[in-house]
Amino acid sequence: MRVEGIETVRRILCVFPRYTSSFGTFEYAYPLTDGVSAFMPPQGLLLIAAYLPENWPVRFIDENLRPATKEDFEWAEAVFVSGMHIQRQQMNDICRRAHAFDLAVAIGGPSVSACPDYYPSFDYLHVGELGDATNELIRRLADDPSRPEQQVVLKTADRVPMSEFPIPAYELAEVKKYFLGSIQYSSGCPYQCEFCDIPGLYGRNPRLKTPQQIIAELDKLRECGVTGSVYFVDDNFIGNRKAALDLLPHLVEWQKRTGYVMRLACEATLNIAKRPEILEKMREAFFVTVFCGIETPDPEALKSMHKDHNMMVPILEGIQTINSYGMEVVSGIIMGLDTDKPETGDALLAFVDESRIPLLTINLLQALPKTPLWDRLEREGRLLADDDGRDSNVEFLLPYDQVVSSWRKCMEVAYQPEKLFARYQYQCEYTYTQRLKVPVTPEQKSWANIKRGLIMLRNIFWKVGVLGDYRKVFWKFALGRLRHGDIEGLIASSMIGHHLIMFARAASVGQQNASNYSIRLREASVPAE
Ligand code: SF4
């Protein structure tokens, strides 16, 4: 299905927009690493870069690492941009900068696919997934790279099957500068949670790559220098349970062959706890983290958001089951739901203590376009403009100030250093000890890897252990880890813990958005020219 017969050569500049400082991107941890300065390589743009005609030179810039320069724009004949709603302002800014060089700019990805009208200045809108629209865009640029007189909207009707996707052009990204590697096996989710745009955008019947593609991608990530953790960005790793079971033996084999060089992570619904056959294979494949959208511990709230599948096992029991296979649970939590009561914040804090989950992303409810929640709130007249200075576009049933102050209190209390390190201590003792005992590979014993570890330890000891104001709590935790010879646990927990503590402090005094989707504090992050 890939477009053929293109003889003209075009130089394409792919620019990925900056993220705003956010709870889930770990910026406060970067100064403790050995040079990490961005979160994950973007799958979408690297996929498009790989899909372009082979003879088209492509330059990839992630503005989370460095801004696109005058020289980049002068080099290019056309610019491609992709991103999510939260990067909307930055994407429009890239378009403005590219137009200053009279370049045609095309935008694709989830945000424009859901809301084409957010992007009036772009020359080409690529709506939908990789497919006939992509081929048409390539043909048009091959014929004429100049800016069209009017905006051209290209919609994918015929998608390229994921089994025919090329390997994303990881070689164009500076993979070593990312906190995590990324990979995608499936797209779509069979559930229909009220607030979620995934089923509307990508469908309810997950589309899949083949296990062989995933293995080839892992090999390529490794060749490009990714070590450490790789995150499956699939909307729901068990959206198609049979497909997950088909893939896992291949991952196990790959890990055995390569000496378990990568720790794996994914997103999955909490009902994964009912599938011991999947959990056991995940343990063998060295999955160490599962992100579960728990959203709320309140069963009534889960029911009304159509997330009943979270109640297939009691929530705390489900978390414990996942932990028992060596996997730490990371959880998404939403506040500001219609079912919230004045005591919801306290109930949430009790849940944080009981679940012993160290990392919970706690957000205010935000209505995303093309979701059932959006439609309902629109009918009820409860949708607010994005730019009215609030942290959410939802008119909550409780007073706004009460919801925000409850959120701030939850952030402040949940991430007090004593509480957070107590939860990490539990994970070290009861979860990490359940993990596969993997051999130490020559790669891990290499001087480069040892040096990396030493740099991180030096940074952690100096910036947290000496200069940090919670150093007493840190040393209590760190000495325990050192006594157990658990350097990896010490580095990972301290780095992420530092981010959580610092971010939560800023959040609790109103210096961070209460929603990952809010644009209130976002303008400052547009890169300078
Ligand atoms: S389970 Fe997760 S991905 Fe699926 S619809 Fe619900 S929130 Fe979205």
Side-chain angles (χ1 to χ4, degrees):
M1 159 115 182
R2 191 170 178 164
V3 64
E4 281 177 5
I6 302 278
E7 280 168 19
T8 342
V9 174
R10 299 285 178 225
R11 293 182 303 278
I12 305 295
L13 178 66
C14 295
V15 187
F16 188 66
R18 264 187 76 171
Y19 285 114
T20 313
S21 169
S22 126
F23 195 69
T25 49
F26 302 109
E27 295 88 59
Y28 288 103
Y30 300 163
L32 304 181
T33 65
D34 63 332
V36 165
S37 37
F39 185 45
M40 275 197 294
Q43 284 283 313
L45 261 190
L46 293 175
L47 173 66
I48 291 284
Y51 187 79
L52 290 171
E54 272 168 36
N55 55 344
W56 286 22
V58 182
R59 199 178 275 192
F60 167 75
I61 307 290
D62 182 344
E63 295 213 320
N64 294 284
L65 295 173
R66 73 160 176 91
T69 61
K70 178 169 175 278
E71 194 269 327
D72 293 321
F73 287 119
E74 281 173 351
W75 170 87
E77 290 176 279
V79 177
F80 285 13
V81 178
S82 170
M84 300 186 287
H85 293 320
I86 52 167
Q87 295 159 300
R88 175 176 163 191
Q89 289 183 353
Q90 290 88 333
M91 288 193 275
N92 280 318
D93 186 67
I94 294 167
C95 180
R96 184 186 58 74
R97 286 182 280 147
H99 280 168
F101 293 83
D102 206 22
L103 292 168
V105 194
I107 179 168
S111 180
V112 68
S113 298
C115 295
D117 52 326
Y118 282 181
Y119 302 99
S121 315
F122 280 79
D123 301 291
Y124 292 99
L125 303 191
H126 178 291
V127 175
E129 295 180 67
L130 193 71
D132 48 359
T134 325
N135 293 346
E136 182 57 23
L137 175 62
I138 292 169
R139 272 193 217 100
R140 282 178 184 244
L141 289 174
D143 285 350
D144 180 5
S146 60
R147 292 185 59 191
E149 278 178 21
Q150 285 178 347
Q151 185 176 74
V152 178
V153 181
L154 304 168
K155 290 188 184 166
T156 293
D158 194 6
R159 297 183 293 195
V160 175
M162 283 183 78
S163 57
E164 290 174 21
F165 276 16
I167 297 181
Y170 297 121
E171 71 280 4
L172 298 179
E174 294 175 82
V175 289
K176 287 190 173 164
K177 293 202 170 161
Y178 289 93
F179 200 67
L180 299 171
S182 63
I183 196 165
Q184 182 171 21
Y185 176 48
S186 68
S187 167
C189 177
Y191 298 111
Q192 284 184 299
C193 306
E194 191 192 28
F195 58 85
C196 180
D197 59 354
I198 297 295
L201 278 176
Y202 303 114
R204 296 185 61 198
N205 191 7
R207 301 163 66 227
L208 300 163
K209 290 183 185 167
T210 63
Q212 289 71 24
Q213 282 173 287
I214 294 300
I215 295 307
E217 284 194 32
L218 284 170
D219 282 334
K220 184 155 176 193
L221 281 169
R222 193 168 168 223
E223 267 168 40
C224 292
V226 172
T227 51
S229 301
V230 171
Y231 196 93
F232 276 82
V233 298
D234 305 34
D235 310 308
N236 181 1
F237 189 69
I238 57 159
N240 177 331
R241 288 195 295 273
K242 183 184 168 304
L245 278 167
D246 286 346
L247 173 64
L248 283 165
H250 295 269
L251 294 179
V252 173
E253 276 316 301
W254 186 83
Q255 290 281 37
K256 282 185 183 159
R257 170 162 64 82
T258 57
Y260 299 88
V261 283
M262 290 185 195
R263 298 163 155 251
L264 304 179
C266 69
E267 297 180 16
T269 37
L270 191 60
N271 53 2
I272 195 173
K274 275 190 68 177
R275 301 285 162 189
E277 70 284 10
I278 294 182
L279 291 171
E280 184 49 47
K281 284 272 170 246
M282 287 175 79
R283 178 176 177 274
E284 284 177 42
F286 212 28
F287 274 83
V288 296
T289 309
V290 183
F291 181 100
C292 294
I294 291 175
E295 323 303 358
T296 164
D298 176 3
E300 192 201 331
L302 286 170
K303 216 167 171 183
S304 71
M305 66 171 69
H306 304 133
K307 197 144 192 178
D308 312 51
H309 49 275
N310 265 7
M311 296 187 291
M312 286 166 96
V313 283
I315 292 180
L316 290 173
E317 195 181 308
I319 295 164
Q320 251 183 20
T321 303
I322 298 170
N323 288 163
S324 72
Y325 287 87
M327 288 179 275
E328 180 183 323
V329 173
V330 170
S331 168
I333 296 288
I334 305 175
M335 296 182 76
L337 299 165
D338 284 3
T339 41
D340 279 8
K341 303 167 196 71
E343 55 277 13
T344 291
D346 290 338
L348 177 59
L349 287 170
F351 170 76
V352 173
D353 284 345
E354 281 176 297
S355 69
R356 325 272 191 122
I357 296 177
L359 201 179
L360 306 99
T361 62
I362 310 173
N363 278 302
L364 289 194
L365 180 69
Q366 176 86 358
L368 297 178
K370 302 258 161 76
T371 58
L373 175 69
W374 176 282
D375 297 341
R376 176 169 69 81
L377 293 176
E378 196 168 48
R379 279 196 307 275
E380 294 173 8
R382 293 173 54 204
L383 268 185
L384 303 169
D386 261 343
D387 52 3
D388 71 350
R390 292 167 44 121
D391 271 338
S392 166
N393 62 352
V394 177
E395 180 79 62
F396 302 126
L397 293 184
L398 289 174
Y400 173 76
D401 288 343
Q402 186 177 353
V403 175
V404 172
S405 66
S406 175
W407 174 79
R408 287 190 185 151
K409 182 179 166 212
C410 286
M411 292 296 284
E412 185 193 340
V413 176
Y415 293 106
Q416 282 165 355
E418 301 76 11
K419 281 183 172 279
L420 178 61
F421 277 102
R423 302 201 296 275
Y424 269 125
Q425 184 65 34
Y426 173 89
Q427 297 298 325
C428 289
E429 286 171 20
Y430 297 98
T431 301
Y432 307 163
T433 45
Q434 305 302 319
R435 287 178 183 162
L436 212 61
K437 308 285 174 273
V438 298
V440 182
T441 61
E443 247 162 308
Q444 285 161 323
K445 280 189 275 188
S446 67
W447 170 236
N449 197 46
I450 293 171
K451 192 169 146 206
R452 226 178 131 225
L454 288 174
I455 292 172
M456 291 194 269
L457 277 178
R458 181 201 61 195
N459 292 341
I460 290 168
F461 288 158
W462 177 246
K463 292 183 178 159
V464 180
V466 177
L467 302 179
D469 59 18
Y470 61 93
R471 54 186 172 267
K472 249 174 134 173
V473 182
F474 164 77
W475 279 116
K476 190 171 159 219
F477 172 80
L479 291 174
R481 288 301 89 214
L482 288 172
R483 268 197 298 276
H484 284 86
D486 181 16
I487 304 292
E488 254 185 64
L490 166 61
I491 291 178
S493 309
S494 309
M495 272 195 324
I496 295 178
H498 184 66
H499 169 75
L500 301 178
I501 290 166
M502 302 315 281
F503 189 98
R505 283 181 182 176
S508 62
V509 294
Q511 287 168 3
Q512 290 290 355
N513 290 326
S515 162
N516 273 342
Y517 298 101
S518 170
I519 59 170
R520 185 172 65 84
L521 295 175
R522 209 145 275 150
E523 281 176 20
S525 68
V526 174
E529 281 161 77

